[in-house]
Amino acid sequence: MKHFDILLIGGGAAGFFTAIAIAEQYPNLKIAILERGKEVLSKVRVSGGGRCNVTHACFVPAELVKNYPRGEKELLGPFNQFCTGDTMEWFERNGVELKIEEDGRIFPVTDSSATIIDCFLTATHRLGIEVVTQQSVQSLYQGENYWKIETQNQQFKAQKVIVTTGSNPKIWELLATLGHTIVPAVPSLFTFNTKDPRISDLMGIATPAEVAVFGTKLSASGPLLITHWGMSGPGILRLSAWGARLLAEKKYQFSLQVNWIPDFDFATCIDYLKGIRTEQPKKTVAKKAPFVLPNRLWEKLVLASGISVDQKWADINNPQLQQLAQQLTQSKFQINGKSTFKEEFVTAGGIDLKEVNFKTMESKLLPNLYFAGEVLNIDAITGGFNFQNAWTGGFIIANNLLFNFSEKGK
């Protein structure tokens, strides 16, 4: 049986950052990371399209938490201790130069996730952190002053255990047997599947829009991207994140309402269209969009309103005008299913946040057991926010769990 002061279960972003943060403060502790796979940091490697979006340029904790459908309230305190600026400083101190892109995402200047992986592996080697792969945890047992961990081929003993396994159902099951409540996992960050003649052959078109799930209070805004399977883009992803549980209950079958011209509602749109009819009676309706709207999409919405392709503004009657205003501001699309958003698979679910002390990230039920990252019922929209949760959790643990190790020295 191998003995450690601290054992981390999960060789991903949260596990490595937490282990390094602890070892930087307490170099005399014996620390190990257990990883079930053959390779560590596999999700880091593919994140951000292989570039690793380490965080987001949102530097105010009260604003940053608004990007977390689950965890907003709980993360405010932790973000006041370790936020985006601290993350940037940490990576740059560890030899990783970062850059902020126009949309706020922050990447290594190398545009390669290998830079982040090399940073973590170099740090663990320098600090003497043991990394043990192909160790699938089979059981967790809490003794009086220790934890015992059994994998398929080894046994480990540690004073403190930190779980950083992300959305691993097997680990959730083990934690449930120890008394923790697990909020069932459902997908978050997904795109919507729909087949509709109004958006067929428009793949690649993106435009600002307001989207809402019809019959609910769920809504979001942001660019909407038309794809070959339906709809994607920041607005749709935001809606999927905040509506993760509701849409799962609906089995991803629902009516989506789209306002293609967010600056207008139905009434103001009709007034605007009447003005065009008066001022430009001889112009062909379908030829050019009078709004900030792609012309190809405009033409499809015009045709869906019962207006012919060569009809002039002067020839539009009031019912057609109302139909057009409705298509522009209240388009309804039947959604039939979802698709995973690229490699950014994120789930809503995990350890119930009421059972965690967010001042220390320690379990309220089981002393000397800590959590960081997506093993908790915390998730965010795309853009580097899920990684920021991992870094912050690791920092909080490193700065709050080791007071009773002070005799080992810093």
Side-chain angles (χ1 to χ4, degrees):
M1 182 181 292
K2 287 192 170 185
H3 292 252
F4 294 93
D5 294 309
I6 304 223
L7 199 61
L8 296 101
I9 304 174
F16 269 78
F17 188 91
T18 305
I20 293 164
I22 295 168
E24 284 177 334
Q25 292 196 59
Y26 295 86
N28 294 330
L29 292 182
K30 197 174 178 185
I31 303 169
I33 300 171
L34 300 185
E35 165 56 38
R36 64 174 174 167
K38 291 181 180 179
E39 292 186 358
V40 294
L41 300 164
S42 55
K43 191 171 181 180
V44 171
R45 189 174 300 282
V46 299
S47 70
R51 297 197 295 144
C52 194
N53 178 191
V54 294
T55 187
H56 200 93
C58 183
F59 298 93
V60 180
E63 292 299 316
L64 183 60
V65 294
K66 293 178 182 176
N67 296 285
Y68 296 81
R70 284 144 293 272
E72 177 178 351
K73 180 182 71 173
E74 292 81 4
L75 288 173
L76 183 58
F79 282 160
N80 272 290
Q81 294 188 56
F82 193 88
C83 203
T84 304
D86 303 300
T87 295
M88 295 184 73
E89 182 185 350
W90 189 93
F91 277 107
E92 287 171 0
R93 190 172 73 243
N94 281 274
V96 178
E97 191 179 349
L98 301 173
K99 61 176 180 177
I100 301 175
E101 300 201 338
E102 280 187 19
D103 60 4
R105 292 183 301 164
I106 298 175
F107 294 90
V109 295
T110 59
D111 280 328
S112 173
S113 58
T115 302
I116 304 301
I117 293 171
D118 289 345
C119 167
F120 285 155
L121 293 178
T122 299
T124 52
H125 181 72
R126 181 184 82 247
L127 295 164
I129 298 165
E130 192 170 335
V131 180
V132 193
T133 57
Q134 295 183 278
Q135 297 296 319
S136 177
V137 172
Q138 305 298 308
S139 68
L140 279 169
Y141 169 77
Q142 187 177 37
E144 190 172 339
N145 293 304
Y146 66 90
W147 280 92
K148 182 180 173 184
I149 299 95
E150 290 186 342
T151 67
Q152 78 279 24
N153 55 19
Q154 286 197 59
Q155 291 185 346
F156 301 86
K157 202 173 182 181
Q159 185 174 340
K160 294 179 182 283
V161 169
I162 303 165
V163 182
T164 58
T165 48
S167 50
N168 182 329
K170 186 173 181 181
I171 297 299
W172 280 339
E173 280 180 30
L174 286 177
L175 293 169
T177 63
L178 293 171
H180 267 290
T181 304
I182 306 300
V183 179
V186 296
S188 181
L189 283 189
F190 49 85
T191 61
F192 298 166
N193 298 347
T194 183
K195 297 292 183 186
D196 192 290
R198 288 170 292 176
I199 59 171
S200 62
D201 305 321
L202 297 183
M203 287 77 77
I205 281 181
T207 187
E210 291 175 348
V211 290
V213 176
F214 189 72
T216 75
K217 294 181 180 179
L218 191 62
S219 64
S221 60
L224 185 154
L225 173 67
I226 297 171
T227 68
H228 70 274
W229 63 83
M231 297 177 179
S232 184
I236 294 294
L237 294 172
R238 202 168 283 125
L239 194 69
S240 76
W242 263 267
R245 298 216 164 271
L246 175 66
L247 300 182
E249 289 170 10
K250 291 179 175 292
K251 296 182 167 47
Y252 311 104
Q253 308 287 321
F254 58 94
S255 181
L256 180 74
Q257 185 167 296
V258 180
N259 182 348
W260 298 104
I261 45 173
D263 292 335
F264 292 79
D265 59 17
F266 179 76
T268 55
C269 183
I270 284 182
D271 290 342
Y272 190 78
L273 293 174
K274 284 179 178 177
I276 297 172
R277 183 171 64 179
T278 301
E279 295 166 13
Q280 303 176 18
K282 295 182 180 180
K283 289 194 175 181
T284 304
V285 178
K287 191 170 184 181
K288 191 174 190 310
F291 305 96
V292 180
L293 195 69
N295 284 325
R296 290 168 60 205
L297 175 60
W298 163 255
E299 183 179 329
K300 290 267 194 179
L301 296 176
V302 167
L303 295 175
S305 306
I307 300 168
S308 64
V309 71
D310 56 357
Q311 198 167 345
K312 302 285 194 289
W313 278 102
D315 302 326
I316 294 185
N317 58 38
N318 284 337
Q320 287 176 315
L321 209 64
Q322 289 187 333
Q323 278 293 316
L324 182 55
Q326 191 165 45
Q327 288 293 335
L328 288 165
T329 63
Q330 300 173 354
S331 282
K332 284 198 181 68
F333 293 84
Q334 182 57 41
I335 305 302
N336 297 299
K338 61 174 178 56
S339 296
T340 301
F341 175 63
K342 298 181 182 176
E343 72 286 338
E344 306 286 357
F345 184 72
V346 174
T347 58
I351 297 162
D352 193 318
L353 304 186
K354 295 187 186 73
E355 299 173 354
V356 179
N357 179 354
F358 277 82
K359 291 181 179 179
T360 61
M361 305 309 291
E362 185 176 15
S363 166
K364 290 180 179 178
L365 310 181
L366 302 162
N368 297 319
L369 181 66
Y370 298 77
F371 308 108
E374 292 176 43
V375 68
L376 296 162
N377 183 28
I378 292 176
D379 61 284
I381 60 173
T382 186
F385 301 104
N386 283 300
F387 275 141
Q388 183 59 52
N389 168 45
W391 316 141
T392 295
F395 175 86
I396 296 295
I397 291 171
N399 282 270
N400 289 281
L401 93 157
L402 297 174
F403 55 88
N404 60 338
F405 286 124
S406 57
E407 72 276 4
K408 301 203 173 200
K410 282 194 176 184

